[in-house]
Coordinates of all heavy atoms in Angstrom, one line a residue:
D364 N 120.9 89.5 112.4 CA 120.5 88.4 113.2 C 120.8 88.6 114.6 O 120.3 87.9 115.5 CB 121.2 87.2 112.7 CG 121.0 87.0 111.2 OD1 119.8 86.8 110.8 OD2 122.0 87.1 110.4
L365 N 121.7 89.5 114.9 CA 122.2 89.8 116.3 C 122.7 91.2 116.4 O 123.3 91.7 115.5 CB 123.4 88.8 116.6 CG 123.9 88.9 118.1 CD1 123.0 88.0 119.0 CD2 125.3 88.6 118.2
V366 N 122.3 91.8 117.6 CA 122.9 93.1 117.8 C 123.9 93.0 119.0 O 123.6 92.5 120.0 CB 121.8 94.1 118.3 CG1 122.3 95.4 118.6 CG2 120.8 94.2 117.1
F367 N 125.2 93.4 118.7 CA 126.2 93.3 119.7 C 126.3 94.7 120.3 O 126.8 95.6 119.6 CB 127.6 92.9 119.1 CG 128.6 92.5 120.2 CD1 129.0 91.2 120.4 CD2 129.2 93.5 120.9 CE1 129.9 91.0 121.3 CE2 130.1 93.3 121.9 CZ 130.5 91.9 122.1
D368 N 125.8 94.9 121.5 CA 125.9 96.2 122.1 C 127.1 96.5 122.9 O 127.2 96.0 124.1 CB 124.6 96.4 123.1 CG 124.6 97.8 123.7 OD1 125.5 98.7 123.3 OD2 123.7 98.0 124.5
V379 N 118.9 100.4 122.6 CA 119.3 99.2 121.9 C 118.5 98.0 122.3 O 118.0 97.3 121.4 CB 120.8 99.0 121.9 CG1 121.2 97.6 121.3 CG2 121.5 100.1 121.2
S380 N 118.3 97.9 123.6 CA 117.6 96.7 124.1 C 116.2 96.8 123.7 O 115.6 95.8 123.2 CB 117.7 96.7 125.7 OG 117.0 95.6 126.2
S383 N 115.8 96.2 119.9 CA 116.1 94.8 119.5 C 114.8 94.0 119.8 O 114.4 93.2 119.0 CB 117.3 94.3 120.2 OG 118.4 95.0 119.9
R384 N 114.3 94.2 121.1 CA 113.1 93.4 121.4 C 111.9 93.8 120.4 O 111.2 92.8 120.0 CB 112.6 93.8 122.8 CG 113.1 93.0 123.9 CD 112.6 91.5 123.8 NE 113.0 90.7 125.0 CZ 114.0 90.0 125.1 NH1 114.9 89.9 124.1 NH2 114.3 89.3 126.2
T388 N 114.9 90.7 117.6 CA 116.3 90.4 117.3 C 117.0 90.1 118.6 O 117.0 91.0 119.5 CB 117.0 91.5 116.5 OG1 116.2 91.8 115.3 CG2 118.4 91.1 116.1
P389 N 117.8 89.0 118.7 CA 118.5 88.8 119.9 C 119.6 89.9 120.1 O 120.1 90.5 119.0 CB 119.3 87.5 119.7 CG 118.4 86.8 118.7 CD 117.8 87.9 117.8
S390 N 120.0 90.3 121.3 CA 121.0 91.3 121.5 C 121.9 90.9 122.6 O 121.6 90.1 123.5 CB 120.3 92.6 121.9 OG 119.6 92.5 123.1
L391 N 123.1 91.3 122.5 CA 124.2 91.0 123.4 C 124.7 92.1 124.1 O 125.1 93.1 123.4 CB 125.3 90.2 122.6 CG 126.1 89.4 123.6 CD1 126.3 88.0 123.2 CD2 127.5 90.1 123.9
Y392 N 124.6 92.1 125.4 CA 125.1 93.3 126.2 C 126.5 92.9 126.7 O 126.8 91.9 127.3 CB 124.1 93.4 127.4 CG 124.5 94.1 128.6 CD1 124.9 95.5 128.5 CD2 124.6 93.5 129.8 CE1 125.2 96.2 129.6 CE2 125.0 94.3 130.9 CZ 125.3 95.6 130.8 OH 125.7 96.3 131.9
A403 N 125.7 89.5 128.8 CA 124.5 88.7 128.8 C 123.9 88.7 127.4 O 123.9 89.7 126.7 CB 123.5 89.4 129.8
L404 N 123.4 87.5 127.0 CA 122.7 87.4 125.7 C 121.2 87.4 125.9 O 120.8 86.6 126.8 CB 123.2 86.0 125.0 CG 122.4 85.7 123.7 CD1 122.7 86.8 122.6 CD2 122.8 84.3 123.2
S405 N 120.6 88.3 125.3 CA 119.1 88.4 125.4 C 118.4 87.9 124.2 O 118.6 88.5 123.1 CB 118.8 89.9 125.6 OG 117.5 90.1 125.5
V406 N 117.6 86.8 124.3 CA 116.9 86.2 123.2 C 115.4 86.3 123.5 O 114.9 85.9 124.5 CB 117.3 84.7 123.0 CG1 116.5 84.1 121.8 CG2 118.8 84.6 122.9
P407 N 114.7 87.1 122.6 CA 113.3 87.3 122.8 C 112.6 86.0 123.1 O 112.7 85.0 122.5 CB 112.8 87.9 121.5 CG 114.0 88.6 121.0 CD 115.2 87.7 121.4
C412 N 115.8 90.6 128.9 CA 116.4 91.7 128.2 C 117.0 92.6 129.2 O 117.0 92.4 130.4 CB 115.3 92.5 127.4 SG 114.2 93.5 128.4
L413 N 117.7 93.6 128.7 CA 118.4 94.5 129.7 C 117.4 95.2 130.6 O 117.8 95.4 131.8 CB 119.2 95.6 128.9 CG 120.1 96.5 129.7 CD1 121.2 95.8 130.5 CD2 120.8 97.5 128.8

Side-chain angles (χ1 to χ4, degrees):
D364 306 296
L365 182 88
V366 176
F367 190 109
D368 180 8
V379 168
S380 179
S383 301
R384 269 293 188 269
T388 306
S390 58
L391 198 129
Y392 162 63
L404 175 62
S405 166
V406 181
C412 76
L413 186 58

